[in-house]
Amino acid sequence: MLVRLQAVVALAACIAAGSASAQPTAGSELLGRGRYLGEVVAACGACHNTFGPGMQPVPGMALAGGRVFAERGFRAVAPNITQDRETGIGGWTDAQIAAAVRDGHRPDGAPIGPPMPVESYRGIADRDLGALVAWLRTVPPVRHAVAERSRYPFMPALAGPPVASVPEPPDEDPVARGRYIAVNLAHCMDCHSAQLAEGRADPQRRGAPGLVLEGPWGAVQARNISSHPENGIGRWTDEQILGAITRGVSADGRRLAPPMAGRAPVWARMTPEDQRALVAYLRSLPPQE
Ligand code: HEC
Ligand code: HEC
């Protein structure tokens, strides 16, 4: 009874201070942002969902892991990132989850390797990182053991010092916002940039023909999406560019291969502002051969 009374008194104090209504709103806004980033813009599920035959996500197993990547001469398996305490990340602290997503290391200090977009995620803004953690906390636990860790030969080159702080791109600068989406959140440029020898995207040659992705669809190269008029998308309309991103269809009507088309239904849910920012950024890329 005493405990209950104390709670009522504490609540009354909150209301008096005006924070009782402000707090839940701020929390749900952050969660909404995190869900939008995780489910739509960053599409964590494109890698972390459990997939059945024909690359169809298994119902009820969102983010439960198990997708095998056997590309570029290395093998990795996407871990279970649901809130299950034993087979997922339910036992990790918020800080440990944040360190995995942005700093690229696990609670035991082991580095996280590709294809987790470790380098790109180092640029996730502080508030968005908090939002992603808030969202991950709400992912229903699914028991599904995925034990294997990536054996990526260049791992040490990617593991940098912890990221101190990253500001958000200014609202009034669509190119900067589009760059943040394309480079950091949606990691478009990991695939769509010339590749350096150690298996990293070359930040000097963004938009150039990029990664070759192998799978049941064969081998397909991420195409030139710089502003080059012939080789790139310089002559495409905004509508055609968005057609590739949100419908998985090229300017000539050709259906794009799964690494691109598979994410299109998800990216179709991006806000119109974010879609416009993405186009503005792509148009700003200098022509690449
Ligand atoms: C392109 C595929 C891909 C995308 C996109 C991706 N991940 Fe990953 N992620 C992986 C792989 C593969 C690993 C394991 C790498 C290894 O074994 O070193 C991993 C590891 C992790 C881990 C460490 C888990 C553990 O048990 O060690 C966390 C946490 C994580 N990812 C969260 C996320 C979140 C959150 C997002 C979206 C914001 C995301 N990932 C997007 C592929 C991806
Ligand atoms: C996992 C790697 C990968 C990611 C991430 C990715 N793409 Fe692609 N993209 C591809 C591949 C591969 C193709 C070529 C598919 C084909 O030719 O069938 C492609 C094709 C395209 C095309 C069509 C080009 C043409 O000439 O038809 C555009 C535009 C495009 N991507 C933009 C983007 C944008 C913008 C993002 C981020 C929002 C993105 N891509 C993320 C791999 C990727």
Side-chain angles (χ1 to χ4, degrees), residues 78-124:
N80 180 341
I81 57 168
T82 72
Q83 283 298 297
D84 187 58
R85 294 187 70 86
E86 274 161 47
T87 63
I89 58 172
W92 298 16
T93 65
D94 286 359
Q96 286 171 332
I97 297 177
V101 174
R102 192 164 74 176
D103 297 336
H105 64 77
R106 298 181 165 96
D108 65 4
I112 298 170
M116 173 77 176
V118 177
E119 280 195 292
S120 307
Y121 287 178
R122 290 178 71 81
I124 294 180

Side-chain angles (χ1 to χ4, degrees), residues 192-205:
H192 286 284
S193 301
Q195 303 291 304
L196 296 167
E198 64 269 37
R200 296 166 51 220
D202 183 350
Q204 306 304 322
R205 295 194 55 209

Side-chain angles (χ1 to χ4, degrees), residues 37-38 42-48 67 69 76-81 87-89 92 97 100-101 106-107 111-117 121 124 132 135-136 148-151 155 185 187 263:
L37 294 177
C44 313
C47 295
H48 284 281
R67 178 171 172 190
F69 298 85
V77 185
N80 180 341
I81 57 168
T87 63
I89 58 172
W92 298 16
I97 297 177
V101 174
R106 298 181 165 96
I112 298 170
M116 173 77 176
Y121 287 178
I124 294 180
L132 279 167
W135 164 68
L136 285 166
E148 190 178 324
R149 287 185 175 184
S150 163
R151 288 184 297 273
M155 198 80 99
L185 294 173
H187 78 107
R263 288 166 165 88

Side-chain angles (χ1 to χ4, degrees), residues 49-52 56-62 64 142:
N49 283 341
T50 307
F51 294 92
Q56 292 305 310
V58 178
M61 293 193 70
V142 179

Side-chain angles (χ1 to χ4, degrees), residues 181-182 186-192 211 213 220-225 231-233 236 240-241 244-245 249-251 254-260 263 267 270 278 282:
I181 295 169
H187 78 107
C188 317
M189 309 326 278
D190 279 353
C191 293
H192 286 284
L211 205 60
L213 293 123
V220 59
Q221 186 172 28
R223 298 173 73 92
N224 188 328
I225 58 167
N231 300 352
I233 58 172
W236 293 25
Q240 285 171 322
I241 297 175
I245 300 167
V249 177
S250 186
R254 185 176 64 91
R255 173 116 193 115
L256 296 167
M260 188 64 206
R263 288 166 165 88
W267 284 333
M270 253 193 256
L278 205 42
L282 293 181

